[in-house]
Amino acid sequence: MALARSWSIALLGIEGRVVEIEADIGAGMPGTKLVGLPDPGLREAKDRVRAAIRNSRYSWPDTHVTLGLSPANLPKVGSSYDLGIAVAVLAASGVVPGVELSGTVMLGELALDGRVRPVPGVLPALLAARRLGHRRAVVPAGCVSEAALVEGLEVLGAPGLADVVAWLRQEGELVRPAPVETGPAPHAPDLTDVMGQPEARWALEVAAAGGHHVLLTGPPGVGKTMLATRLPGLLPPLSTEEALEVAAVRSVDGSLSRSAPLVLVPPFVAPHHSISVSALVGGGNGLATPGAISKAHRGVLFLDEAAEFGAERLESLRTVLEEGEIRIARSRGVVRYPASFQLVLASNPCPCAPPREIDCTCSPSARRRYLGRLSGPLLDRVDLRVRMRPVTAMRSSEAHRPESTEVVRKRVLDARDRATARWADRGWRTNAAVPGPVLWREFALPRSATALVERALQHGAITARGADRCLRVAWTLADLDGAACPDGDHVAAALEFRDRRAA
């Protein structure tokens, strides 16, 4: 009898756990048994691995082989365990020594001819491996650039199973990663393209400076989508840590660029209103996969024609907007994905939505029903609400030429720097992330400055959550003005942004 071990990583969302792969070759009738809660795709691994070993000119044991994946109560999903299983079997057979396997994580799907194919989720798996104390990882050669993003871990790329065997025998070398390159910044549309709409432009600047959510309401063609697509260009570049978070989600999703996996530009995701709830927040069979909100993590989620999304989709965002993550429970486990994004909603004022408001043929009840699809609890989480008017001129004089993205972005970055310096000791990066109790107690403004908010709260014009969000916007307005703290004018302007008539 012979027993050997190798190690791999199981992913639950973007959280990884070490899986010990044991191969036991014992007496008995020839056959292979795989245990440890494998999914249907993993159950087929024994056939893939057997063919890959034989086609790599090694022998499969002609006795009974038992393959165990531990912990046994942890669901195992996907084909990334193939390489680890093959190496464990070869080590138990005496084909390769098991010395190099200790502290090494194996990831990769095996083709029948022995090639090691790329698998999704390499980046979060290796981040977990490093955190759990492993020092080395062998991954598919096509995933080396992605794996190289994980510092402090020796990464080796395997073109095929025969290459891994040669490396374990110290008869060959595996692929070493090249220096990590940052992906090129995509072309960002400029704010100079947006004609008119000074209030909406100002709201977009405030949103970018403080990380606030926005609702743009107006007839078709006034520039709602144009403004929304220009928001990422106003945001600061992602830090390396934030870029790794974004890349980890895209790695699990399988949409990560293999040539330049690290992108510092905040993502922009704009799903169609026909999207399903599972595609929006995450879901699927077995363990849930990330949805559009997680792909927009650290960036912008734009819902155009928001009233057409339907109550079920919109209401699914309420908890996410507060917590910055989504927890999805399925029969095989609960997964968590990050979902900290800026929400931009765009909506027409009514179903018929004519260019001129006086041409509207909708009854008052029809207008209320239409905008009523954006529920009060959802709107209560939106800090800035702007009513956009039809554009009356397509040309502007030199004296009134719209500001460019670069000019506005400089003001935004200055305001963000002030907010970051203020909240640095507490770990918050934007005013929108600051809890309300902190603003009311530890950073309390004079009663003369908050009188309007307190009066609106007493009369039921805003909720307690709305009052908190007014103060967050007021701090952002103060940062844009270069003030040490908000005054009464800043608080009044923040309260005006929450006026429900803007919706």
Side-chain angles (χ1 to χ4, degrees), residues 140-500:
C143 298
V144 166
S145 59
E146 173 185 348
L149 297 176
V150 183
E151 297 179 352
L153 195 70
E154 182 185 3
V155 174
L156 301 171
L161 179 59
D163 301 287
V164 178
V165 171
W167 172 73
L168 290 170
R169 289 175 170 176
Q170 298 185 348
E171 297 173 355
E173 292 292 330
L174 296 178
V175 177
R176 299 278 178 174
V180 177
E181 295 183 4
T182 302
H187 173 71
D190 200 279
L191 271 173
T192 53
D193 300 334
V194 181
M195 305 304 299
Q197 307 301 346
E199 293 180 8
R201 291 171 62 96
W202 172 236
L204 202 71
E205 181 176 341
V206 175
H212 305 290
H213 307 309
V214 190
L215 168 63
L216 304 174
T217 307
V222 296
K224 301 187 294 293
T225 301
M226 289 184 70
L227 279 169
T229 55
R230 281 149 181 80
L231 178 56
L234 300 179
L235 300 177
L238 301 177
S239 65
T240 302
E241 178 186 351
E242 292 171 333
L244 281 175
E245 293 175 6
V246 173
V249 173
R250 296 190 178 275
S251 176
V252 173
D253 178 62
S255 59
L256 186 67
S257 169
R258 303 206 183 277
S259 58
L262 198 66
V263 178
L264 302 182
V265 178
F268 180 83
V269 178
H272 190 261
H273 60 75
S274 62
I275 189 172
S276 67
V277 176
S278 295
L280 180 63
V281 302
N285 296 324
L287 294 177
T289 56
I293 60 172
S294 296
K295 297 173 189 176
H297 179 59
R298 300 298 182 188
V300 178
L301 178 69
F302 176 47
L303 302 186
D304 198 8
E305 304 294 347
E308 303 295 340
F309 273 77
E312 187 178 9
R313 300 174 184 84
L314 293 175
E315 298 307 301
S316 66
L317 300 177
R318 284 163 50 178
T319 303
V320 179
L321 292 176
E322 292 292 328
E323 299 183 356
E325 70 172 14
I326 181 72
R327 295 183 296 276
I328 310 170
R330 292 292 184 268
S331 59
R332 305 202 68 172
V334 179
V335 298
R336 298 191 310 169
Y337 289 110
S340 179
F341 54 85
Q342 280 187 252
L343 177 64
V344 179
L345 301 171
S347 177
N348 295 323
C350 65
C352 74
R356 297 189 307 168
E357 195 168 344
I358 59 173
D359 296 331
C360 176
T361 58
C362 300
S363 65
S365 60
R367 292 172 66 93
R368 284 195 299 271
R369 281 196 304 271
Y370 185 77
L371 290 177
R373 299 176 186 177
L374 306 177
S375 69
L378 177 64
L379 290 178
D380 203 33
R381 292 165 168 83
V382 177
D383 303 330
L384 310 172
R385 310 174 196 172
V386 183
R387 183 65 177 268
M388 298 176 64
R389 307 297 177 183
V391 177
T392 57
M394 293 302 294
R395 295 184 182 181
S396 57
S397 63
E398 281 298 321
H400 297 90
R401 188 169 184 174
E403 289 182 317
S404 67
T405 293
E406 190 60 35
V407 172
V408 178
R409 187 171 183 266
K410 186 179 184 306
R411 293 198 298 265
V412 168
L413 295 182
D414 290 343
R416 286 242 180 178
D417 289 342
R418 296 186 185 95
T420 300
R422 180 170 55 251
W423 311 120
D425 294 340
R426 300 167 183 265
W428 303 312
R429 299 175 181 175
T430 62
N431 293 321
V434 182
V438 173
L439 296 177
W440 286 101
R441 297 173 187 169
E442 301 178 40
F443 289 80
L445 301 179
R447 188 170 293 274
S448 59
T450 60
L452 281 176
V453 172
E454 294 180 7
R455 191 178 306 131
L457 196 58
Q458 291 171 0
H459 288 84
I462 59 174
T463 64
R465 181 192 290 115
D468 292 345
R469 291 184 174 274
C470 275
L471 289 190
R472 293 169 184 163
V473 174
W475 277 99
T476 300
L477 294 172
D479 288 336
L480 285 168
D481 283 347
C485 67
D487 57 22
D489 291 339
H490 295 132
V491 175
L495 187 61
E496 182 64 25
F497 271 127
R498 294 192 62 81
D499 185 357
R500 290 185 182 273

Side-chain angles (χ1 to χ4, degrees), residues 6 21 23 45 48-50 52-53 60 67 81-93 95-96 101 106 108 110 161 164-165 168:
S6 65
I21 302 173
R48 289 194 301 269
V49 171
R50 184 190 299 113
I53 288 178
W60 182 264
L67 303 170
Y81 305 94
D82 288 7
L83 183 59
I85 292 172
V87 169
V89 171
L90 292 173
S93 303
V95 176
V96 298
L101 297 181
M106 299 278 180
L110 288 177
L161 179 59
V164 178
V165 171
L168 290 170

